[in-house]
Amino acid sequence: MIVSVHFADIGVRAARSVLRERPRPDTTPGLRYAETTLTGAIAAGPPALRPGRAALLAAWEDDAALDRFLAEDPLPRRLADGWHVRLRPLRLAGAWPAMPLEIDPGGAPDEEDGPVVVLTLGQLRLRRALPFLRANSRAAGRAAADPALVASVALARPPRFVGTFSLWRSVSAMCHYAYGADRPAHQEAVRDHREKPFHHEAAFLRCRPYGARGLLDGREPVAAAARASSPPWTSSSER
């Protein structure tokens, strides 16, 4: 099983219409799950929307299923001028029943210290929206300031779905942000959620990126992450 994430700047009206074009597993061969969303910036403070950028998050049986979708469905053609990346799931924390994940133990090892994507997914408890926004602001501000964060996008499908996409230059750098003793904001948000959950359902999915195509904010982020990552991703001839 693989996951794909697609971003494209298509204008405010078109981005809103994409919310109505969410692919369905019962009519799209090989599709396990899909969500179309609006986007924003990951940063401290109130949510900073990017109203003209749309996103598609999807899970597939395999690459062939995604290839068919890209070739035959009108939605990816609308997003074709943006950027999309294929992700191989490595580790799941929490649960997301709508997306039946199968973590492949024979895939790329989680401990391999190269570029890594983290997806957070949540179905918001509306009465917990303000505490969630406060906790998220602290953690997001710390992430946005981290030099190891190569690309990030906030995801939202009102009224309940919220998520984030973050690409880090290495697993070790991402773990230092998430668990480092000198960077408590993320751990505090996780603690607050455990004590009184922000979401009805929540999941954190760690993935290895591959097969990226197009540009996001003028660059190809996976290539930029690979150039910035630690060995063994940088060969001795490149150092």
Side-chain angles (χ1 to χ4, degrees):
M1 177 178 164
I2 66 166
V3 173
S4 67
V5 184
H6 312 245
F7 300 111
D9 296 310
I10 57 177
V12 175
R13 183 175 297 178
R16 289 176 178 172
S17 72
V18 163
L19 295 182
R20 299 189 296 269
E21 299 179 32
R22 178 168 50 181
R24 295 172 52 184
D26 58 348
T27 58
T28 306
L31 178 66
R32 299 282 190 86
Y33 167 84
E35 191 73 81
T36 50
T37 78
L38 303 175
T39 69
I42 292 180
L49 298 178
R50 186 157 185 167
R53 175 173 288 178
L56 166 65
L57 166 66
W60 307 89
E61 291 179 359
D62 51 30
D63 285 288
L66 174 55
D67 289 339
R68 285 193 301 270
F69 174 74
L70 295 175
E72 299 172 3
D73 196 277
L75 178 56
R77 289 196 288 272
R78 297 187 66 183
L79 305 177
D81 289 336
W83 178 72
H84 86 256
V85 62
R86 302 176 188 224
L87 307 173
R88 195 168 306 283
L90 299 174
R91 181 179 296 185
L92 176 69
W96 199 251
M99 182 164 56
L101 284 169
E102 299 167 1
I103 306 299
D104 180 9
D110 189 25
E111 65 271 13
E112 187 175 289
D113 202 21
V116 65
V117 165
V118 177
L119 295 171
T120 69
L121 309 171
Q123 288 288 349
L124 184 63
R125 296 177 186 265
L126 297 182
R127 67 181 181 275
R128 293 283 289 153
L130 288 179
F132 165 72
L133 290 173
R134 286 195 293 267
N136 185 69
S137 175
R138 295 191 298 269
R142 187 64 194 86
D146 196 312
L149 183 67
V150 178
S152 63
V153 181
L155 309 172
R157 183 185 178 95
R160 294 188 183 278
F161 177 81
V162 291
T164 61
F165 167 95
S166 59
L167 170 63
W168 299 81
R169 70 186 183 194
S170 67
V171 174
S172 58
M174 180 274 296
C175 288
H176 183 57
Y177 157 74
Y179 309 116
D182 60 331
R183 305 182 183 189
H186 176 265
Q187 296 174 71
E188 290 170 355
V190 172
R191 181 201 62 206
D192 291 348
H193 172 68
R194 286 175 177 167
E195 291 177 352
K196 194 172 183 180
F198 301 128
H199 306 297
H200 294 284
E201 298 171 352
F204 299 82
L205 179 61
R206 189 184 301 184
C207 303
R208 184 71 65 199
Y210 72 101
R213 181 177 299 176
L215 299 176
L216 181 67
D217 297 325
R219 63 174 178 168
E220 201 293 284
V222 174
R227 288 193 296 269
S229 65
S230 304
W233 288 80
T234 301
S235 69
S236 59
S237 62
E238 295 172 324
R239 287 180 231 151

